Amino acid sequence: MDIMSNFSERLSEFMFHAQLTTEQLGAKIGVSGSSVRSWLRKDSIIKLKHAIEVAELFNSSLNFLFGLSETIIDFTPKKAPSFYEHLKIVMKENKISRYKMCIDLEKGHGNFDVWKNGSSPLMNTVYEIAVYLDVTLDYLVGREK
């Protein structure tokens, strides 16, 4: 599944209906207009923290924003906690160790270390983890119960 194509399409629709330029959207979420244009062209992958800001701005779920749901939102979003801290909770619920997930997803342990230090993962990685753990994007990042 090409979640970035879905994201680009949904973001374009949201921006069209809100009559926002790439510069205006960028200013609202703290990135440059060129970053927004790069996401729309699918030249770069949006980071989780910016995806959450876009979802909050347009009152959308991450699942809708990335084309995994046809319902814009069907829950009341909570403020997303630290990705790393919530990931540990979801992994524990699913009885998955860090070691097993790294092996199964072919991800290095270094990813966990940078997330622990506050770095925001790219959405393609968040998507891979959500599929692996069989949870929604919003549940994985702590926006949905």
Side-chain angles (χ1 to χ4, degrees):
M1 170 171 279
D2 185 4
I3 64 165
M4 288 313 296
S5 289
N6 294 331
F7 171 73
S8 174
E9 184 177 316
R10 296 265 164 98
L11 181 59
S12 293
E13 290 172 13
F14 278 138
M15 290 174 62
F16 174 78
H17 290 293
Q19 298 180 342
L20 287 175
T21 66
T22 56
E23 296 297 330
Q24 291 167 327
L25 175 61
K28 287 183 180 289
I29 64 170
V31 300
S32 67
S34 64
S35 290
V36 176
R37 287 187 294 279
S38 180
W39 302 333
L40 290 170
R41 289 189 312 266
K42 300 169 276 199
D43 289 341
S44 67
I45 299 170
I46 189 170
K47 287 187 174 186
L48 172 62
K49 69 179 183 176
H50 297 124
I52 290 171
E53 291 167 352
V54 169
E56 288 174 352
L57 178 66
F58 295 114
N59 194 31
S60 168
S61 70
L62 290 171
N63 270 21
F64 179 80
L65 193 56
F66 287 89
L68 304 173
S69 170
E70 292 305 313
T71 304
I72 291 180
I73 197 160
D74 58 0
F75 63 93
T76 302
K78 301 184 315 182
K79 181 168 173 36
S82 153
F83 176 73
Y84 175 78
E85 293 303 322
H86 199 262
L87 174 61
K88 288 191 327 184
I89 292 168
V90 178
M91 288 170 58
K92 186 174 182 178
E93 290 170 354
N94 285 274
K95 298 176 175 72
I96 300 290
S97 71
R98 174 176 164 164
Y99 176 79
K100 179 166 176 38
M101 185 160 44
C102 287
I103 296 298
D104 290 348
L105 293 178
E106 300 177 358
K107 299 284 182 202
H109 287 276
N111 287 315
F112 284 85
D113 296 333
V114 296
W115 300 335
K116 183 177 183 178
N117 292 326
S119 181
S120 186
L122 295 173
M123 281 306 298
N124 61 333
T125 300
V126 175
Y127 172 75
E128 284 181 73
I129 294 170
V131 169
Y132 176 75
L133 296 173
D134 194 27
V135 296
T136 68
L137 294 172
D138 293 282
Y139 183 79
L140 178 61
V141 304
R143 293 184 75 223
E144 176 183 22
K145 288 184 183 181

